[in-house]
Amino acid sequence: MYIVCLDMEGVLVPEIWIAFANAAGIPELKRTTRDEPDYDKLMKFRLKILKEHGLGLKEVQDVIATIDPLPGAKEFLDELRSLTQVVILSDTFEQFAAPLMKKLGYPTLFCNTLEVAENGEITDFHMRVAKSKLATVKALQSIGFETIASGDSYNDLDMIYASKAGFLFKSTEKIKADNPGLQTFEEFDELLAAIKAELKR
């Protein structure tokens, strides 16, 4: 049996932090996992910037409410889910993801959680498990699934390489150049065709 594991931001929806950086006028927050491989370092930096600007969960959620999935993402996901099981593995947080999951038709999402003070300040973050994407793929494999994985960033590479098949999607030129053995795609129909081919093997 197969299960497809997909990243969320940059693959199915725009990058939340880039959208928020643009809306808030804080260019430092445009830094994502495409730029910074160390997610713990990245999130601590983000929370520090939010605190400095007096911004909290509500301000971020207000921007997220305006974000729509990437063109064709829901249709891609709908067709893929008609063929096989799909899990979205994301380093985002429950408090951010809910409206995006609604727009994508409520696919299964494994993510993390934020610690939020009564005044709305995001004070900390809690990862579900260390190296959550790789850990989840290995756990699925341990109960009899073959995994196919796709993502765009540094934090997706472990799950891609650990899977029976893995693809980069809408990734950066540097990540593609650093991983020449991986097939890379820019369009949903290309990725869907590649996954379909694997499902038939």
Side-chain angles (χ1 to χ4, degrees):
M1 292 182 68
Y2 281 95
I3 191 161
V4 175
C5 301
L6 298 173
D7 179 36
M8 184 180 81
E9 292 179 68
V11 173
L12 298 171
V13 303
E15 293 280 354
I16 289 171
W17 286 98
I18 290 177
F20 182 72
N22 289 333
I26 306 173
E28 305 98 296
L29 286 175
K30 290 185 179 181
R31 191 165 179 79
T32 72
T33 50
R34 291 175 165 218
D35 312 299
E36 174 55 68
D38 186 333
Y39 191 74
D40 185 71
K41 178 180 175 183
L42 179 63
M43 275 305 302
K44 286 176 179 175
F45 170 76
R46 288 167 168 169
L47 297 191
K48 176 174 171 284
I49 296 293
L50 289 179
K51 186 176 180 65
E52 286 174 358
H53 287 81
L55 298 168
L57 179 60
K58 182 184 183 304
E59 288 79 11
V60 181
Q61 288 178 327
D62 286 347
V63 172
I64 292 171
T66 71
I67 297 174
D68 288 322
L70 294 172
K74 185 177 185 301
E75 293 77 8
F76 159 78
L77 201 53
D78 287 346
E79 183 166 354
L80 187 57
R81 291 169 71 195
S82 77
L83 301 172
T84 189
Q85 298 297 311
V86 179
V87 175
I88 297 173
L89 303 182
S90 176
D91 281 338
T92 193
F93 303 94
E94 296 172 322
Q95 294 91 336
F96 290 174
L100 296 169
M101 292 302 97
K102 181 178 181 180
K103 291 178 181 180
L104 286 170
Y106 295 107
T108 299
L109 169 70
F110 294 168
C111 64
N112 306 297
T113 191
L114 294 168
E115 191 172 298
V116 183
E118 286 188 12
N119 66 357
E121 179 188 345
I122 302 172
T123 56
D124 204 355
F125 60 98
H126 301 287
M127 306 302 284
R128 184 168 47 83
V129 65
K131 293 190 174 181
S132 61
K133 297 185 182 189
L134 176 62
T136 302
V137 160
K138 287 186 171 181
L140 290 169
Q141 291 167 349
S142 77
I143 56 172
F145 286 101
E146 294 278 13
T147 59
I148 300 171
S150 184
D152 68 320
S153 298
Y154 286 107
N155 63 337
D156 299 313
L157 292 173
D158 283 347
M159 74 168 178
I160 289 172
Y161 278 114
S163 293
K164 184 173 183 182
F167 311 105
L168 287 172
F169 186 68
K170 297 184 182 293
S171 192
T172 67
E173 292 306 317
K174 176 163 176 38
I175 292 174
K176 289 189 280 190
D178 289 347
N179 296 274
L182 294 179
Q183 285 185 273
T184 66
F185 302 109
E186 299 297 323
E187 303 297 333
F188 285 113
D189 57 351
E190 297 172 336
L191 180 58
L192 184 62
I195 294 172
K196 283 181 176 178
E198 289 298 328
L199 293 174
K200 291 176 182 176
R201 288 179 187 270

